[in-house]
Amino acid sequence: MEKNKLLFYEAYEAFYAMAKDSAAFRAYCRDAFGADSSQDGFSDLRQIDRILPYIPAGGDVHILDIGCGNGKMLGYLQEQSGAFIHGFDYSARAIETAKSLFPRRSDFREGVIGEIDYAERFDVITSMDTLYFAPDLPAFLRQVRNWMKPEGVFFVGYQEGDVIPKSPAGEKTKLAQALTALGMPYEETDITKECYELLTKKREAALRHREAFLREGQEDWYRLLLLQTDCAAAPYEQFREKMARYIYLIRK
């Protein structure tokens, strides 16, 4: 494994170990996001609930989550819909936890974007802040299209301004450009203001749970949560110039 990839992998392994063992972090997630899905980003319950209307009712329904982490978001979707859930992630620790938490009507695999493949076809495919790690985004989008059932949908939480540079004003995002080039129809919803409000909520929640983090010896994670939310200290107009967040609903 390349040095940078190894560092990222070790960081994620450490994160999922902390998420599994830390009561303070679980309480923080419930406070900040509305539910504990071991969030390391921006997927609060309001965003996750946007997926539910696109899950078919009844029948043999299958959902795939790209970069599923420890499976908690999938577990919530299964609880709400009864679907069979599938997920892959490159963190061995995350997949181990997912298998233990959700052993029924599920398939969790270790895998890397652009390398793993599926013979199954899915009603709903989700990707919350994971497409940034595709080594070849158009190629991976073509692969995802092959995984979708004819009436299936691909639900994406996507952000520019941190991992991916923000597109200039008036231009399509990198994801929208790739989808257009591939002829994949999509609907784009700008939720940047919602993201800004969530960052503020995350920071307030971290401060409320400070003592619990410190009692557990999780000071480094606590400080990281504060660092991740520094950008919310600026007025929204300044934040909007640097960051943008979207929900994409993509059809075959």
Side-chain angles (χ1 to χ4, degrees):
M1 190 179 293
E2 297 175 12
K3 183 177 180 181
N4 287 343
K5 289 183 179 179
L6 179 61
L7 290 174
F8 273 117
Y9 182 79
E10 290 175 346
Y12 274 111
E13 290 289 270
F15 169 78
Y16 284 112
M18 181 276 297
K20 181 179 179 181
D21 296 335
S22 173
F25 184 74
R26 292 192 294 273
Y28 156 79
C29 285
R30 290 190 293 269
D31 199 0
F33 300 99
D36 169 27
S37 293
S38 296
Q39 287 95 334
D40 184 30
F42 302 91
S43 303
D44 67 353
L45 192 59
R46 182 164 46 166
Q47 291 180 37
I48 295 170
D49 277 344
R50 282 186 164 97
I51 301 169
L52 296 176
Y54 302 101
I55 302 176
D60 188 23
V61 177
H62 291 254
I63 302 172
L64 170 67
D65 186 24
I66 297 165
C68 65
N70 58 17
K72 288 186 177 181
M73 186 184 82
L74 276 173
Y76 174 76
L77 297 177
Q78 183 181 62
E79 179 183 291
Q80 298 298 312
S81 67
F84 194 109
I85 52 176
H86 307 250
F88 73 87
D89 199 284
Y90 85 152
S91 167
R93 191 184 299 274
I95 292 300
E96 178 185 358
T97 301
K99 288 179 177 180
S100 66
L101 290 175
F102 309 104
R104 298 180 183 277
R105 292 178 53 76
S106 64
D107 172 33
F108 292 101
R109 308 179 190 177
E110 289 181 51
V112 177
I113 289 176
E115 297 179 10
I116 193 170
D117 201 4
Y118 284 89
E120 298 94 331
R121 296 297 177 261
F122 303 98
D123 300 277
V124 177
I125 300 176
T126 60
S127 169
M128 303 303 283
D129 297 293
T130 54
L131 291 184
Y132 323 123
F133 305 109
D136 184 334
L137 180 58
F140 185 60
L141 290 173
R142 284 192 292 269
Q143 187 175 30
V144 171
R145 182 167 56 187
N146 289 336
W147 293 343
M148 297 165 67
K149 290 183 179 179
E151 301 300 321
V153 298
F154 182 27
F155 186 97
V156 178
Y158 178 82
Q159 187 157 304
E160 289 191 344
D162 41 20
V163 179
I164 299 294
K166 187 176 182 295
S167 298
E171 291 190 12
K172 292 182 178 180
T173 67
K174 305 299 187 296
L175 175 57
Q177 291 175 40
L179 292 169
T180 299
L182 292 169
M184 296 177 70
Y186 66 88
E187 300 168 24
E188 178 189 271
T189 303
D190 188 329
I191 61 166
T192 306
K193 183 65 179 296
E194 198 176 298
C195 175
Y196 177 78
E197 293 167 352
L198 176 58
L199 280 165
T200 302
K201 190 175 181 182
K202 287 173 63 174
R203 189 173 187 85
E204 292 171 351
L207 290 169
R208 276 194 294 274
H209 293 280
R210 175 180 179 276
E211 294 304 320
F213 278 110
L214 298 186
R215 283 196 300 271
E216 290 184 351
Q218 302 287 5
E219 183 175 358
D220 287 347
W221 289 107
Y222 168 74
R223 292 187 181 280
L224 181 59
L225 292 174
L226 294 183
L227 181 64
Q228 289 175 342
T229 57
D230 271 349
C231 53
Y236 173 68
E237 291 72 20
Q238 294 180 24
F239 176 85
R240 185 70 177 89
E241 291 176 0
K242 298 179 179 179
M243 304 282 289
R245 184 166 180 79
Y246 305 90
I247 294 293
Y248 283 87
L249 183 69
I250 302 158
R251 302 185 188 276
K252 197 160 185 178

